[in-house]
Amino acid sequence: MCNNPLLKDPYQQLDDYIDSIPYKKENLILILHRAQEIFGYLPDKVQWHIAQKLDLPSAKIYGVVSFYSFFTMKPRGKHVANVCMGTACFVRGSEKLQKEVESQLGIKTGQTTEDQLFSLDSVRCIGACGLAPVMTVDGKVHGRLETTADIKQALAKYRPEGTPEEAKGSNSNI
């Protein structure tokens, strides 16, 4: 058996992780986090596998996965952008920010770009109210996003090299 975790079958990686922790049923959320790290998301097949491994009903696994917003049952993009919709951001224009990000990415909130580069979501509060309106990409905060150019510049940091045109654009307010 291969000892390099990068070369192991993902289901074997998950089984090895589950086998390594005590109180397996009580650590369901921890197991789901690890499964999402391994697979990138939690499709039905992975949820069923976990249910079998823990001897739990698959409906219980689905209930936990669908309840917590961190978990996703759809493939995510390489980069995950979250637009803050908290009170401070909302007052400072987060709805316009969200619409502009949707426009620039060509997707709606909750979707992933066709090239699997970006997924877009909204969150209740990021906790960076002094920088409102705010968006995070892969957990990195981008604040004071008030013009189309600000947003293009923030997103350009995550695009492949050789696409500098993505960072250009009008400096109009959103």
Side-chain angles (χ1 to χ4, degrees):
M1 181 48 94
C2 177
N3 289 328
N4 183 341
L6 298 175
L7 300 177
K8 278 187 183 177
D9 170 68
Y11 287 97
Q12 187 60 53
Q13 287 182 48
L14 180 58
D15 287 350
D16 290 349
Y17 177 74
I18 292 170
D19 292 342
S20 75
I21 59 174
Y23 308 106
K24 291 162 184 35
K25 291 180 183 180
E26 292 82 357
N27 282 301
L28 175 59
I29 291 176
L30 192 64
I31 291 166
L32 290 169
H33 277 286
R34 181 69 180 132
Q36 188 161 285
E37 285 176 16
I38 293 168
F39 292 91
Y41 67 114
L42 298 171
D44 291 342
K45 185 176 178 182
V46 172
Q47 292 179 52
W48 183 84
H49 181 83
I50 292 169
Q52 295 297 305
K53 185 78 174 163
L54 300 182
D55 193 29
L56 290 170
S58 57
K60 174 156 178 85
I61 308 300
Y62 175 81
V64 172
V65 170
S66 62
F67 180 79
Y68 290 103
S69 63
F70 175 80
F71 298 123
T72 181
M73 293 181 272
K74 297 184 296 186
R76 308 289 291 172
K78 179 179 179 182
H79 304 289
V80 178
N82 287 297
V83 175
C84 181
M85 300 303 275
T87 304
C89 286
F90 190 82
V91 169
R92 301 280 318 259
S94 63
E95 276 187 312
K96 291 177 184 174
L97 168 62
Q98 184 175 22
K99 293 295 181 203
E100 182 60 27
V101 173
E102 288 177 346
S103 174
Q104 289 188 27
L105 294 178
I107 58 174
K108 296 288 184 191
T109 299
Q111 295 179 335
T112 299
T113 57
E114 282 186 28
D115 62 3
Q116 301 293 307
L117 189 59
F118 288 99
S119 290
L120 177 61
D121 284 312
S122 62
V123 294
R124 295 276 180 193
C125 184
I126 289 173
C129 304
L131 299 174
V134 171
M135 152 177 89
T136 62
V137 181
D138 299 338
K140 184 177 182 335
V141 176
H142 299 274
R144 296 189 180 98
L145 299 173
E146 297 169 346
T147 68
T148 56
D150 293 340
I151 297 163
K152 283 184 181 184
Q153 185 176 20
L155 294 174
K157 295 174 183 176
Y158 303 93
R159 295 189 187 277
E161 295 291 328
T163 56
E165 67 278 1
E166 298 295 340
K168 297 176 187 172
S170 80
N171 203 21
S172 62
N173 288 336
I174 55 173

